[in-house]
Amino acid sequence: MSRALCLLLEPDRVLALPRESEGSATGITWRPEEPVPLVDALRAEFGVPSGLVVIVGLAFLEIAEPQLPPVSNDVRVRMLQRDSDRYFALREPAAVATDGTVAFAMSSALLASWIDALRSWSPVQAVITVGEAAALGGHDGRWAINAGPESSGSLTIRDGRVQEARRSR
């Protein structure tokens, strides 16, 4: 069993990087609606890692800056999940993440299909957004990031929190 692996899920490829590695990322093409072939390709390339950190790219995420009462982050997430159609352009149950200022959501069924496929290969230790990954990495500043075909995206991180996330289509 090899060490843990970080996977950044983008619309047409997954970037895989062993955690705590100085090496470069390995890109593997995939189709988000069919995650099983991705797992086969990852297994062939990396064997079986000790665990996975899954980073969901901006192209898959709806973004909101909801005005919610001052409550704990767990309560904020539950409020956003309960009223996801109010804050996000989703018409189905949502998987939601927030650190207080910016909230992200995506189809919970799509995310579950990815996680189920990946778990058949290795334990999934965490699922986070690309914004959370940048903030956890201590990367203050503003960056342009991949937001999918014919889209542009940007993230602003300050003091370990996502302050702004934008996607233009």
Side-chain angles (χ1 to χ4, degrees):
M1 188 174 286
S2 61
R3 59 187 167 179
L5 194 64
C6 292
L7 303 174
L8 172 58
L9 308 181
E10 295 187 333
D12 58 348
R13 68 181 178 159
V14 171
L15 295 173
L17 179 69
R19 285 183 63 191
E20 302 169 12
S21 173
E22 296 295 324
S24 61
T26 301
I28 298 175
T29 59
W30 81 313
R31 295 181 54 207
E33 64 279 4
E34 294 181 21
V36 174
L38 168 68
V39 172
D40 296 338
L42 288 166
R43 183 180 291 115
E45 182 73 28
F46 294 100
V48 179
S50 60
L52 303 172
V53 174
V54 178
I55 304 169
V56 179
L58 191 61
F60 299 110
L61 300 170
E62 296 295 324
I63 304 165
E65 293 181 11
Q67 301 300 310
L68 297 173
V71 294
S72 72
N73 202 53
D74 290 343
V75 172
R76 292 173 69 83
V77 168
R78 285 196 302 272
M79 292 169 73
L80 291 165
Q81 285 174 324
R82 183 190 66 214
D83 299 325
S84 62
D85 60 337
R86 179 176 169 191
Y87 299 104
F88 305 103
L90 293 172
R91 300 292 174 240
E92 57 192 299
V96 175
T98 185
D99 68 358
T101 304
V102 176
F104 299 98
M106 69 172 295
S107 162
S108 60
L110 182 60
L111 180 61
S113 73
W114 299 343
I115 301 308
D116 289 346
L118 291 167
R119 279 189 181 136
S120 71
W121 170 47
S122 180
V124 175
Q125 297 172 334
V127 179
I128 60 176
T129 68
V130 67
E132 291 171 303
L136 288 169
H139 301 290
D140 279 359
R142 183 179 184 128
W143 294 274
I145 63 170
N146 184 353
E150 300 180 25
S151 296
S152 60
S154 67
L155 282 176
T156 302
I157 311 293
R158 294 274 180 263
D159 301 321
R161 296 181 70 163
V162 179
Q163 298 298 313
E164 182 179 75
R166 297 278 181 251
R167 180 181 50 237
S168 304
R169 296 178 194 207

